[in-house]
Amino acid sequence: MAKIIVVTSGKGGVGKTTSAAAIATGLALRGNKTVVIDFDVGLRNLDLIMGCERRVVYDLVNVIQGDAGLNQAMIRDKRVENLHILPASQTRDKDALTSEGVEKILDALTEDFDFIICDSPAGIERGAQLAMYFADEAVVVTNPEVSSVRDSDRILGLLSSKTRRAEQNRDPVKEHLLITRYNPSRVDGGDMLNLDDICEILAIDLIGLIPESEAVLRASNQGIPVTHDQKSDAGQAYTDTVSRLLGETVPLRFHEYQKKGLLSRVFGGGRR
């Protein structure tokens, strides 16, 4: 029986699709059969991050409308055997998504997978609401800035009231906080919210902190989820996040500003 996890945010551009790809990859690398679904109809990006854009033939809307079977639309990842991608449509309208169609797909996938990762569009429109409606758990992605945190608080309200679990009076969706693009030196300078302030405002468990890193942009441009880059701080931070998602206790890294010594300033040595 698969666990359905939505990766969501109120604000766009916070690294949600990057996080969905990285988390799905990390789960699959740990031996879990995982599928990641792109719910951002009209603005498809997950296939680019996963490096399979040229292999897309059918998509999520095709399956919902009966134009293709689920197995025809799913793409097997070339790097990780246990990982599959179900892309979004780039040409259809968001109204093409229906609750009945999404439920049917999720029910079918639940039989064969351990984890279903739903990459939600930003905001609170239909695609985002459908991505979270059937979720068992939610990873709420936010940047350390006021507008992003405020929008995340709005998403938490929807998770507690507009999901199937809420409507059926079941245990609520388990919420996790993922902070991305965290830069300790800018936090120390007062340019970003600090970790404690974000956690206090949103009041949900912190599952991961991803440092601001060139490795993320490099991985996205190469179509390789950053989890594969274990030499980078971001890749290690996503791996830590996956471990916590699996119930393991892992110390938090990359949240303190490390001042460079004289040798580092002279000869370099910045993190990748």
Side-chain angles (χ1 to χ4, degrees):
M1 195 72 173
K3 182 177 290 184
I4 302 173
I5 302 175
V6 62
V7 180
T8 184
S9 72
K11 190 173 184 290
V14 298
K16 184 167 26 55
T17 297
T18 295
S19 297
I23 290 170
T25 299
L27 287 168
L29 286 169
R30 294 286 297 269
N32 300 286
K33 194 171 183 185
T34 305
V35 58
V36 56
I37 307 173
D38 190 348
F39 276 83
D40 202 354
V41 174
L43 292 173
R44 185 176 78 203
N45 281 316
L46 179 65
D47 56 312
L48 290 171
I49 301 293
M50 300 294 293
C52 63
E53 68 276 8
R54 295 186 180 181
R55 298 168 60 201
V56 176
V57 178
Y58 298 108
D59 56 54
L60 176 63
V61 174
N62 290 138
V63 179
I64 288 176
Q65 296 185 341
D67 300 324
L70 188 53
N71 288 331
Q72 289 177 289
M74 281 197 302
I75 301 169
R76 182 189 290 272
D77 188 81
K78 287 186 174 181
R79 302 178 189 88
V80 189
E81 184 179 354
N82 290 329
L83 182 59
H84 290 73
I85 302 97
L86 181 56
S89 172
Q90 208 167 16
T91 58
R92 306 294 183 93
D93 188 85
K94 295 182 189 299
D95 291 336
L97 292 179
T98 66
S99 180
E100 296 78 12
V102 171
E103 183 175 19
K104 187 176 179 180
I105 287 174
L106 293 175
D107 284 346
L109 292 172
T110 297
E111 300 299 319
D112 296 323
F113 287 87
D114 299 311
F115 288 95
I116 300 171
I117 307 299
C118 301
D119 177 25
S120 168
I124 57 175
E125 43 78 27
R126 181 167 181 76
Q129 291 188 8
L130 281 175
M132 72 171 65
Y133 181 76
F134 299 98
D136 300 308
E137 300 188 19
V139 175
V140 179
V141 183
T142 190
N143 289 160
E145 57 181 64
V146 173
S147 61
S148 180
V149 173
R150 182 179 64 182
D151 289 348
S152 293
D153 193 44
R154 172 73 172 125
I155 291 298
L156 292 175
L158 293 176
L159 286 168
S160 65
S161 62
K162 300 292 185 181
T163 62
R164 181 168 61 178
R165 283 177 169 267
E167 290 178 0
Q168 296 177 351
N169 292 317
R170 296 163 57 196
D171 290 339
V173 174
K174 188 175 182 181
E175 300 160 341
H176 309 283
L177 175 62
L178 179 65
I179 302 173
T180 55
R181 297 178 183 162
Y182 194 81
N183 186 323
S185 65
R186 294 182 64 188
V187 170
D188 284 355
D191 297 328
M192 286 183 170
L193 292 175
N194 68 43
L195 181 61
D196 292 338
D197 286 343
I198 299 169
C199 292
E200 183 178 348
I201 292 167
L202 296 178
I204 59 175
D205 291 337
L206 180 68
I207 199 166
L209 183 141
I210 313 302
E212 197 170 47
S213 174
E214 293 178 5
V216 173
L217 178 61
R218 182 169 62 247
S220 297
N221 288 336
Q222 293 174 347
I224 304 171
V226 72
T227 316
H228 287 290
D229 184 4
Q230 284 300 298
K231 292 182 179 179
S232 72
D233 47 7
Q236 294 169 33
Y238 274 116
T239 297
D240 289 351
T241 300
V242 169
S243 295
R244 296 187 193 101
L245 201 57
L246 292 171
E248 299 172 15
T249 301
V250 181
L252 191 67
R253 297 189 280 175
F254 311 117
H255 62 289
E256 295 179 341
Y257 178 44
Q258 301 292 331
K259 293 184 179 180
K260 292 183 179 180
L262 176 61
L263 291 179
S264 293
R265 294 198 300 271
V266 172
F267 294 105
R271 291 182 305 193
R272 295 176 60 194

